[in-house]
């Protein structure tokens, strides 16, 4: 059997992971700001009731944790991945403790380390983008990821039940978007859920409580970046190439049957 013919090979657009670059740039910016205005932060914190007095000397650490960890925790909630919250806690809490333990102090090494980690994060984000590779063949889609882990998904066109194209605001401006192949087994679908609960209670020793809860889920096209064509340039053209290839594979069996029928008739 002949190997599949490659039609197109793609990688995510440089802006497809813009949110990841922005997070690391943010860590770099706050590291520089805290280093330059360390004394100003201590002076300002002394005027805040909760941070006044003896605790004012630790105010930069408290503010550092809030500034570095909270955005990453929010990113974890949005991206439904706790790895960013873990990174935020490591940078905002664990890193100062480690520096204080080995150095006897955390200033200014914390801000040096924060800047260095941010630079490494930006480089890592670029490697993460380049680790994705999408290959469109005449038989199906090959989706590969070679990063900290290796993922390879190959889906034949005959197994694709639906094809979804998504473009966000930046995608419309810079012409890139996601193409989600949904298989007949449902791979490529996520779920948005909403829950409502009603409770009725009574005073202790008087009566019992009643709780009524309900929920509703809506299936949506959502999956990890290494299970779909994530942030590909010129997605409309890529979508057309895939749909044309799907139609070609659907028509091929019928053409083959027609050809076989004609051969039988001519041989009689």
């Amino acid at each position: 059997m002949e190997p599949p013919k490659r039609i197109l090979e793609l990688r995510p657009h440089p802006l497809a992971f813009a949110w990841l670059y922005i997070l690391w740039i943010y860590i770099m910016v706050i590291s520089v700001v805290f280093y330059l205005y360390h004394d100003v932060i201590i002076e300002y914190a002394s005027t805040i009731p909760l941070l006044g007095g003896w605790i004012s000397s630790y105010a930069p650490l408290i503010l550092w944790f809030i500034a570095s960890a909270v955005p990453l925790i929010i990113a974890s909630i949005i991206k439904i991945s706790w790895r960013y919250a873990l990174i935020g806690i490591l940078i905002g809490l664990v890193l100062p403790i480690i520096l204080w333990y080995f150095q006897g102090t955390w200033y200014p090494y914390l801000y040096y380390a924060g800047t260095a980690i941010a630079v490494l994060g930006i480089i890592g984000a670029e490697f993460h983008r380049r680790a994705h590779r999408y290959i469109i063949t005449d038989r199906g889609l090959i989706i590969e990821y070679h990063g900290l882990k290796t993922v390879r998904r190959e889906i034949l066109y005959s197994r694709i039940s639906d094809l979804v194209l998504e473009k966000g605001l930046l995608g419309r401006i810079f012409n890139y978007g996601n193409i989600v192949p949904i298989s007949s087994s449902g791979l490529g679908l996520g779920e948005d859920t909403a829950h409502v609960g009603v409770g009725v209670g009574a005073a202790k020793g008087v009566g019992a409580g009643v709780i009524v809860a309900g929920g509703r889920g809506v299936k949506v096209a959502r999956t990890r970046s290494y299970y779909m064509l994530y942030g590909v340039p010129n997605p409309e053209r890529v979508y057309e190439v895939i749909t044309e290839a799907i139609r070609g594979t659907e028509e091929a069996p019928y053409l083959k049957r027609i050809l076989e029928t004609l051969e039988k008739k001519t041989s009689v």
Side-chain angles (χ1 to χ4, degrees), residues 87-152:
I87 292 172
I89 293 173
L90 289 175
I91 294 175
L93 181 62
V94 177
L95 182 61
I97 292 174
I98 293 174
L99 290 173
W100 178 83
Y101 180 80
F102 287 101
Q103 298 287 343
T105 180
W106 51 269
Y107 174 79
Y109 306 104
L110 175 60
Y111 309 139
Y112 296 157
T115 304
I117 291 172
V119 172
L120 293 176
I122 294 172
I123 296 173
E126 179 61 17
F127 276 107
H128 177 62
R129 182 185 73 84
R130 292 176 178 271
H132 295 76
R133 185 172 67 155
Y134 312 122
I135 303 171
I136 301 173
T137 72
D138 59 343
R139 297 179 189 171
L141 303 175
I142 300 174
I143 302 172
E144 296 180 342
Y145 176 77
H146 300 282
L148 295 178
K149 65 178 179 180
T150 299
V151 178
R152 190 176 192 272

Side-chain angles (χ1 to χ4, degrees), residues 9-258:
E9 185 172 329
L10 303 159
R11 294 187 188 275
H13 190 279
L15 291 178
F17 292 97
W19 55 270
L20 192 54
Y21 294 104
I22 290 171
L23 281 178
W24 290 116
I25 291 172
Y26 171 77
I27 295 296
M28 180 186 295
V29 169
I30 65 170
S31 298
V32 173
V33 170
F34 271 66
Y35 173 74
L36 294 177
Y37 297 98
H38 176 78
D39 295 335
V40 176
I41 291 173
I42 292 179
E43 182 179 352
Y44 174 75
S46 63
T47 63
I48 302 175
L50 294 177
L51 297 179
W54 65 272
I55 203 175
S56 62
S57 59
Y58 297 97
L61 279 178
I62 298 172
L63 297 176
W64 168 263
F65 175 79
I66 295 173
S68 60
V70 171
L72 290 174
I73 292 172
I74 294 174
S76 289
I77 296 172
I78 295 174
K79 293 295 179 179
I80 319 177
S81 175
W82 290 108
R83 69 181 64 179
Y84 304 110
L86 179 61
I87 292 172
I89 293 173
L90 289 175
I91 294 175
L93 181 62
V94 177
L95 182 61
I97 292 174
I98 293 174
L99 290 173
W100 178 83
Y101 180 80
F102 287 101
Q103 298 287 343
T105 180
W106 51 269
Y107 174 79
Y109 306 104
L110 175 60
Y111 309 139
Y112 296 157
T115 304
I117 291 172
V119 172
L120 293 176
I122 294 172
I123 296 173
E126 179 61 17
F127 276 107
H128 177 62
R129 182 185 73 84
R130 292 176 178 271
H132 295 76
R133 185 172 67 155
Y134 312 122
I135 303 171
I136 301 173
T137 72
D138 59 343
R139 297 179 189 171
L141 303 175
I142 300 174
I143 302 172
E144 296 180 342
Y145 176 77
H146 300 282
L148 295 178
K149 65 178 179 180
T150 299
V151 178
R152 190 176 192 272
R153 179 190 182 191
E154 186 170 356
I155 178 170
L156 299 175
Y157 292 133
S158 59
R159 301 288 182 87
I160 297 177
S161 60
D162 197 3
L163 198 65
V164 180
L165 188 151
E166 300 176 331
K167 290 179 75 173
L169 177 60
L170 284 178
R172 291 197 297 270
I173 296 173
F174 297 100
N175 194 24
Y176 69 90
N178 306 330
I179 298 176
V180 185
I182 300 173
S183 67
S184 54
S185 63
L187 186 59
L189 287 175
E191 187 174 41
D192 285 343
T193 58
H195 297 278
V196 177
V198 178
V200 178
K204 184 177 180 180
V206 176
V210 178
I211 298 176
V212 179
R216 184 177 182 181
V218 178
K219 293 293 185 181
V220 294
R222 182 193 299 133
T223 186
R224 302 295 185 189
S225 61
Y226 38 77
Y227 290 127
M228 64 174 170
L229 279 68
Y230 183 82
V232 293
N234 197 7
E236 285 86 359
R237 175 54 185 158
V238 177
Y239 186 89
E240 290 177 2
V241 170
I242 296 174
T243 52
E244 288 175 6
I246 291 175
R247 282 194 291 268
T249 56
E250 290 176 346
E251 294 171 356
Y254 297 104
L255 293 175
K256 184 178 179 181
R257 291 175 187 174
I258 294 171

